[in-house]
Amino acid sequence: MRASDPILPLGLLTREACLALAAQVFRLLSGESATLRCSSFSRGATEVARGMTEMVSESRRQTLSLAINTPRGCTAWATTTRLDEAGVEQLVGEARAAARQLRTPDGRERLSGPRRYPTPPEQCFDSALVPMSPEGRSPVIAAAQDAVQRAGLIGAADLSVEFDTFAVINSAGLSAYRAGSYVECSLTARTKDGKGSGWARSGFEDWRRVETEAVIHRAVDLAQRAAKPVAVEPGRYTVILEPAAVADLVQPMFQWAARLADRGYTPYAREPRGNNKLGLQMLDSRLHLVADPWDPDKPTPVFDYNGIPIPSKVTWFEHGVLRNLEYDLGYAREKGKLPVSDPTGGRLYGEGPTTSLDDMIKSVRRGLWVNRLSNATLMNGRTGLATGTTRDGTFLIENGRITKAVKNLRFTESPFFVLNKLEAFGEPVRASRTIVAPRLLVRDFDFTSLTDAV
Amino acid sequence: MTTRRTFLTQAAAGAVALSFPTSLRRLRSSLTAAECLPAIDEEELRTFAVAAVATARAAGATYADVRVSAGQFLGISTGWSTQSGSPLLPIMSPPGLRFGTGVGVRALVDGAWGFSGSDIVTAATVEACARAAVGFARGNRRRSEASVVLARGGASGRAEWATPIARDPFTVSIAEQGELQLDAIAGALRLKGLESGSVGFNWRRRIQVFASTEGALLTQRFVHALPGGVFIARTRSSSGAWGSGSAQVDELQSGGYGWEAVHASTLPRLLHAAAERAVDEARRWAVEPKSAEVGRYDVVLSAAAVGALVGETLGEALDLERALGFRANRQGTSFAAPPLDMLGQYHVASPLVTLRADRTTRDGAATVAWDDEGTPAMSTTLIERGVITDYLTSRETAPELAPWYGRRRQSVRSNAACRGAGPLAPVVCLPNLTLEAARPGPSVEELIATTARGFYVEQVGGGGDQQLFSNQFGVGPGAVREIRRGKLGAPVNDFAVQFLTPTFWRNLEALGSETGARAGLALADSRVDAADPLHFPYSTIRGVPARFRQVNVLNVGRTA
């Protein structure tokens, strides 16, 4: 075990366990070219619904996946959840059997040799072990239930912790291992007549950063203030989008594969077919979008699925200009480009002075404050146009102050349109499991209809 | 044009980098997936299940149930693509073989639940799960007086069931399966204008043992088929405009089928028909693109589109866990609430609509003998002539509807809607759904012929809000055409419909006949990976074509 390796909860695969499994596999393979991937996952959760603890649960998963590269350039796969000696023997037998069926080269990249990996950012697994036990979670659950009950509301909450490990070890000497944790607390508080609803969430790799009290306070406060919503006409409004709403909205941007853009399938496609928008201004020039393994608010992995290091941050957008798309090894070679991995997730931020929430509200003559969006669904893959609804807290702003709760509205918008109608932005914060984003003030946000859904 | 023969010639000559396989029949090996994958010891699964129940009972559970599962997955696919007019080269992907096991124990102590699951199944882990579940339940004493009371109707005694199939696909050699794909696509790939596509077979074979403290020991052996395919075409008109088209391979049988799902006699014809549809669509698009005109129109939906909307708007809304607020912090709640005010009262749809949920349909994707709480499978009418008459229930939630069942002189029992194999806790998921056809009723052609002005929509994709009340569904390129004076006109681009669920279904004015009915699959359990050997997370939804009045049509083609 390395000094930097974490102490993991029971049932997760340590680096040593993965290496031992790999040694067993490669001994059985006797010199064949192969890659072993070892994954393990453990989750503990407490769910509250209708004010009562509905379920306390724990689950574990472990998977071994073996890919054998045949001399003819084919790759055969087999996967199992049996990690005992017999299971590993069977796995090798399956993959070999599959390999014997193959004659067609699949163009996959040959194995990479040993690589050096940057030291990943330190994660505090010890802290995440606390809510792994039901007892560790129960004070938060009790506090949420008490607060909801005192406020005369109905609550539904989730507090979950997840640990996962992933290793890639191949017969050419590559060996990569990573471990991660994630703790998330969320609460929906609803009025007893079902007319008003508030929601908040906080999630981090480090349990000590999860703001459980703030989650409880915010969800209850929003539900109380949302009690008697009024209808407003759909149309184009100036809106303040809270970070969670921004994270929901920008999902269609995270389709980085150059291979798909070049074939015309994503918003990064450009006519004539075979081209993409690399180098083009697509967003407001104050905006940047990066994925950084050392982002203090959302670290991304230091190696990809194939064990290839991601040695530095990936800049997707710089001053609103598309700077990178994902080029896997095969496509990079085909296009004569350097490979770029997609580390999943990232940070959207604005360059320049930030604006506080109060100042944003004061600047709006008539507009809406939106807590979150729901069920955003892509309508047009080429423009990123999506539809969804506001949810769990939508308020009218009139003459620089929030005046009343409003009924939810359906929007039809694209992040590529919205991020060109930017008025102001706040400090970026952890907005979802994968995205860090700021609060945004945006003009002409398009709401296409009213909905009575709460 | 490149034929299979020329592929073989090219391969032999080493003329192409990615060559067609030499005849698969001449491979040294003709192994079956059953020979490749670990065998499942059914008796061992039963032993584990019985031991888990005994451990939970001894640890103090007032009720406990356990699901011990083992499953195998086989995926075989062949894809083809061309760049700049180069020949279409079919490439068979490596067969995907997966094996998985799982155990989940659920326990009640003093009316509180605990659950523990693992995908490592040994005597020690099963016992540990049972102890943990009871421990969690004990620690989860209710802060309020309410506690879980399960509806009666759980099975007891020892019983077995198996998916009725003609031939187990895991005993058909991998080589034979690949050969069938290559033979079947050969004709289709002769068509001009095809650009890329794939055909694939996914098979699952799994055994699930359920045991409970009520004395049940149930063994179910499932086999599920998920064959599919897609053709993508791109053609250029005489004016130089490009058009794209895509088509799924229709009419392949998915769900509780064996190898018979992919008949060698019919597969080539189905693939060829799909390829033709893709090319036709691309040709139409190359000469007749038209952007959707905003407004309110009559819309004729195909059986597949109606089936998709039935599942996403009505089926999901009648999930009682959702309607009661169990999922308020996740997916959301339901417009069809409070349930006791809705039952027998609420006209959610036109009187033409009768919707049945069941897990007994032969060949259905969600068909079982018992659900994952051990309740015997049954058929339930959710909507009768437009009025809500039942919800999808579990043993925990069914008692909430006791006053309604009492008025109808029905016993209070779950309608077997729970799923949760392996390490997943049982929750209510969509069962098979059937929208009753009109008798007699029009064909889709007659529906179109009697529409003065509107649109015909073949497929939809989209979704609703957190209460499934307001919805917006878009239509993929080529899946919608204009109707003018009873005739199909140009394909329409940038088309979407926006509607409120009850208004939309109340505006259903004509329903098709049984001859136009079609079954499709819907994802019913989003917790599950598509290639998970332990689960087949789909339901079969049977729709019929229908015409809806005054649907709000949007244009989603804006670029700023």
Side-chain angles (χ1 to χ4, degrees):
Chain A
M1 175 179 283
R2 293 184 188 172
S4 60
D5 281 355
I7 297 169
L8 297 168
L10 199 65
L12 286 171
L13 294 171
T14 61
R15 184 191 303 270
E16 285 64 37
C18 295
L19 289 171
L21 286 163
Q24 191 185 347
V25 166
F26 294 131
R27 206 164 40 241
L28 291 166
L29 283 171
S30 57
E32 288 158 76
S33 168
T35 303
L36 181 71
R37 292 179 176 84
C38 315
S39 313
S40 64
F41 171 83
S42 181
R43 181 175 195 270
T46 301
E47 300 163 19
V48 173
R50 301 195 293 169
M52 298 177 289
T53 305
E54 178 53 32
M55 182 62 84
V56 176
S57 64
E58 183 178 295
S59 58
R60 292 173 183 161
R61 311 200 85 168
Q62 295 183 346
T63 307
L64 287 188
S65 174
L66 178 62
I68 295 181
N69 301 96
T70 72
R72 292 169 182 262
C74 310
T75 311
W77 295 80
T79 300
T80 188
T81 56
R82 279 187 64 186
L83 272 60
D84 58 359
E85 197 171 327
V88 170
E89 281 177 19
Q90 187 80 43
L91 176 75
V92 172
E94 285 168 34
R96 275 184 162 155
R100 283 198 294 274
Q101 306 290 321
L102 299 172
R103 289 294 179 277
T104 311
D106 50 32
R108 286 178 196 278
E109 189 64 20
R110 298 303 93 197
L111 298 187
S112 172
R115 299 291 194 115
R116 291 181 66 84
Y117 299 99
T119 306
E122 193 176 328
Q123 285 197 33
C124 192
F125 290 91
D126 290 354
S127 89
L129 286 170
V130 173
M132 193 63 205
S133 75
E135 296 77 20
R137 297 190 294 270
S138 64
V140 176
I141 294 297
Q145 287 172 305
D146 285 344
V148 168
Q149 204 168 17
R150 270 200 312 274
L153 301 166
I154 299 171
D158 290 279
L159 177 54
S160 64
V161 55
E162 293 178 9
F163 287 88
D164 67 290
T165 69
F166 177 63
V168 191
I169 303 164
N170 73 22
S171 54
L174 180 143
S175 175
Y177 176 86
R178 66 178 186 232
S181 62
Y182 180 70
V183 193
E184 185 173 285
C185 171
S186 62
L187 170 65
T188 298
R190 293 169 67 84
T191 57
K192 285 188 173 161
D193 64 2
K195 304 274 191 206
S197 180
W199 169 88
R201 170 185 59 197
S202 177
F204 280 99
E205 286 68 26
D206 184 342
W207 166 235
R208 291 170 304 183
R209 294 189 66 185
V210 179
E211 299 164 313
T212 55
E213 285 180 21
V215 166
I216 295 166
H217 174 78
R218 184 182 170 98
V220 169
D221 178 55
L222 284 173
Q224 288 176 319
R225 291 198 285 140
K228 290 177 181 166
V230 298
V232 294
E233 285 295 311
R236 291 199 167 199
Y237 283 83
T238 294
V239 293
I240 297 171
L241 298 173
E242 285 296 289
V246 174
D248 292 330
L249 182 76
V250 300
Q251 280 301 333
M253 297 174 70
F254 287 76
Q255 306 175 66
W256 304 116
R259 192 188 285 272
L260 295 179
D262 292 351
R263 298 190 76 171
Y265 296 142
T266 75
Y268 305 115
R270 183 161 65 94
E271 294 293 341
R273 211 153 98 126
N275 291 294
N276 57 51
K277 292 180 178 167
L278 274 174
L280 293 187
Q281 185 85 40
M282 293 186 72
L283 314 177
D284 184 290
S285 62
R286 291 169 289 174
L287 290 173
H288 303 256
L289 178 53
V290 301
D292 184 351
W294 291 273
D295 190 319
D297 294 320
K298 170 64 186 91
T300 53
V302 295
F303 64 87
D304 69 9
Y305 180 74
N306 293 310
I308 305 302
I310 305 173
S312 60
K313 75 177 180 186
V314 179
T315 300
W316 301 117
F317 281 97
E318 183 181 35
H319 289 296
V321 176
L322 182 65
R323 289 296 181 208
N324 274 300
L325 287 172
E326 181 200 5
Y327 284 85
D328 59 52
L329 291 171
Y331 200 56
R333 192 176 49 198
E334 188 181 324
K335 291 290 177 182
K337 298 257 190 185
L338 288 173
V340 178
S341 294
D342 174 8
T344 310
R347 169 182 290 258
L348 176 73
Y349 66 99
E351 189 173 305
T354 58
T355 306
S356 69
L357 174 60
D358 283 347
D359 287 343
M360 283 187 187
I361 294 171
K362 281 177 193 161
S363 72
V364 177
R365 194 176 64 78
R366 191 164 193 276
L368 295 170
W369 180 91
V370 176
N371 186 37
R372 73 185 290 206
L373 304 174
S374 180
N375 296 349
T377 308
L378 201 60
M379 287 283 115
N380 186 328
R382 291 294 297 270
T383 61
L385 193 77
T387 182
T389 58
T390 61
R391 180 176 175 184
D392 301 324
T394 309
F395 295 88
L396 184 66
I397 306 169
E398 292 174 297
N399 300 317
R401 63 187 190 89
I402 288 179
T403 53
K404 57 192 77 154
V406 298
K407 290 189 175 183
N408 287 311
L409 292 144
R410 175 167 287 282
F411 69 89
T412 305
E413 270 293 2
S414 159
F416 297 99
F417 306 161
V418 172
L419 298 181
N420 278 298
K421 297 185 285 193
L422 186 64
E423 294 285 320
F425 50 84
E427 291 288 348
V429 297
R430 185 71 175 263
S432 72
R433 181 156 187 174
T434 55
I435 294 171
V436 175
R439 174 184 296 118
L440 299 178
L441 175 64
V442 176
R443 64 181 180 278
D444 293 334
F445 192 91
D446 198 8
F447 292 105
T448 44
S449 65
L450 190 67
T451 173
D452 270 333
V454 180
Chain B
M1 190 189 303
T2 305
T3 63
R4 186 167 185 276
R5 179 180 291 276
T6 55
F7 283 135
L8 291 169
T9 310
Q10 286 166 338
V16 288
L18 296 173
S19 62
F20 192 75
T22 54
S23 172
L24 285 166
R25 289 196 183 97
R26 283 187 267 117
L27 290 179
R28 282 171 299 173
S29 165
S30 59
L31 282 171
T32 65
E35 291 166 309
C36 294
L37 288 160
I40 298 172
D41 184 341
E42 195 176 298
E43 197 52 47
E44 188 180 56
L45 299 184
R46 279 193 284 268
T47 303
F48 287 151
V50 169
V53 166
T55 301
R57 184 187 278 123
T62 46
Y63 169 83
D65 56 28
V66 56
R67 288 144 291 278
V68 189
S69 321
Q72 302 167 330
F73 170 89
L74 169 64
I76 293 180
S77 66
T78 301
W80 53 90
S81 64
T82 180
Q83 293 288 336
S84 311
S86 62
L88 288 168
L89 298 171
I91 298 182
M92 205 180 131
S93 296
L97 294 161
R98 297 183 72 159
F99 175 78
T101 56
V103 57
V105 182
R106 196 172 64 153
L108 269 179
V109 176
D110 296 341
W113 282 122
F115 176 84
S116 179
S118 171
D119 61 4
I120 307 156
V121 177
T122 64
T125 56
V126 168
E127 184 181 333
C129 282
R131 289 189 186 285
V134 176
F136 294 160
R138 186 166 283 122
N140 180 18
R141 290 179 192 283
R142 300 281 161 141
R143 291 169 58 78
S144 65
E145 290 180 4
S147 67
V148 173
V149 177
L150 298 180
R152 290 182 182 178
S156 60
R158 183 169 174 149
E160 298 180 0
W161 180 82
T163 308
I165 57 167
R167 188 179 177 193
D168 183 349
F170 287 77
T171 63
V172 178
S173 82
I174 294 169
E176 183 182 339
Q177 302 204 23
E179 181 78 5
L180 173 60
Q181 291 183 354
L182 293 166
D183 282 344
I185 59 173
L189 295 191
R190 292 191 190 103
L191 285 173
K192 275 189 178 167
L194 290 178
E195 184 179 65
S196 61
S198 64
V199 58
F201 307 154
N202 284 353
W203 310 105
R204 281 176 183 78
R205 186 169 76 165
R206 63 195 171 96
I207 292 175
Q208 178 147 324
V209 175
F210 173 90
S212 74
T213 49
E214 293 174 344
L217 181 58
L218 313 172
T219 304
Q220 298 188 81
R221 302 178 197 94
F222 297 105
V223 175
H224 285 117
L226 182 55
V230 63
F231 287 83
I232 295 169
R234 188 169 150 85
T235 61
R236 198 166 193 173
S237 71
S238 52
S239 64
W242 283 101
S244 298
S246 68
Q248 304 279 338
V249 183
D250 290 335
E251 298 162 11
L252 287 173
Q253 293 171 315
S254 300
Y257 293 92
W259 178 244
E260 63 275 12
V262 287
H263 291 286
S265 58
T266 57
L267 189 61
R269 178 175 57 75
L270 295 176
L271 293 176
H272 198 274
E276 283 183 329
R277 285 198 303 275
V279 173
D280 282 350
E281 189 181 303
R283 284 185 185 137
R284 287 201 303 269
W285 273 79
V287 294
E288 305 171 277
K290 184 171 184 177
S291 198
E293 285 181 42
V294 173
R296 288 188 177 272
Y297 298 92
D298 290 351
V299 172
V300 177
L301 295 180
S302 72
V306 169
L309 291 177
V310 162
E312 295 203 35
T313 63
L314 296 176
E316 295 284 0
L318 295 176
D319 172 342
L320 189 57
E321 288 184 352
R322 195 169 176 140
L324 290 174
F326 282 48
R327 313 224 180 111
N329 194 42
R330 277 163 267 152
Q331 299 98 320
T333 54
S334 169
F335 71 89
L340 288 175
D341 291 353
M342 297 281 136
L343 287 161
Q345 309 283 327
Y346 189 62
H347 290 260
V348 71
S350 144
L352 295 171
V353 172
T354 291
L355 180 64
R356 202 161 35 79
D358 74 71
R359 302 197 72 179
T360 61
T361 326
R362 189 184 161 89
D363 311 326
T367 298
V368 294
W370 306 273
D371 79 345
D372 288 332
E373 290 191 309
T375 303
M378 66 182 73
S379 176
T380 308
T381 301
L382 298 175
I383 298 172
E384 192 166 358
R385 291 194 283 277
V387 178
I388 296 176
T389 52
D390 212 338
Y391 284 76
L392 303 171
T393 59
S394 63
R395 292 187 66 188
E396 179 181 353
T397 57
E400 299 274 350
L401 307 184
W404 166 249
Y405 293 138
R407 285 204 296 277
R408 309 242 301 181
R409 300 184 181 202
Q410 285 178 280
S411 57
V412 177
R413 56 186 300 181
S414 155
N415 47 35
C418 272
R419 294 197 199 191
L424 298 178
V427 296
V428 169
C429 295
L430 274 190
N432 304 314
L433 294 174
T434 300
L435 178 64
E436 298 286 355
R439 290 179 191 161
S443 65
V444 69
E445 291 78 14
E446 287 165 337
L447 286 170
I448 291 167
T450 51
T451 302
R453 175 108 197 257
F455 296 95
Y456 170 61
V457 176
E458 279 182 351
Q459 286 174 343
V460 293
D465 59 31
Q466 62 273 19
Q467 289 194 313
L468 303 162
F469 183 64
S470 131
N471 304 272
Q472 185 163 316
F473 283 80
V475 177
V480 58
R481 293 177 72 177
E482 199 178 38
I483 304 174
R484 290 224 178 206
R485 294 192 193 90
K487 298 215 180 309
L488 280 180
V492 178
N493 200 1
D494 310 323
F495 180 95
V497 293
Q498 198 173 72
F499 58 85
L500 303 181
T501 301
T503 311
F504 177 77
W505 286 103
R506 285 178 203 138
N507 282 346
L508 186 155
E509 66 166 7
L511 195 63
S513 66
E514 185 61 33
T515 51
R518 215 177 104 206
L521 288 194
L523 183 66
D525 190 348
S526 57
R527 299 173 296 174
V528 177
D529 172 350
D532 190 326
L534 291 184
H535 309 85
F536 189 65
Y538 301 98
S539 297
T540 297
I541 302 186
R542 196 170 168 80
V544 287
R547 183 169 60 224
F548 296 81
R549 278 187 294 112
Q550 294 296 296
V551 180
N552 187 19
V553 171
L554 304 182
N555 184 307
V556 291
R558 70 187 174 94
T559 54

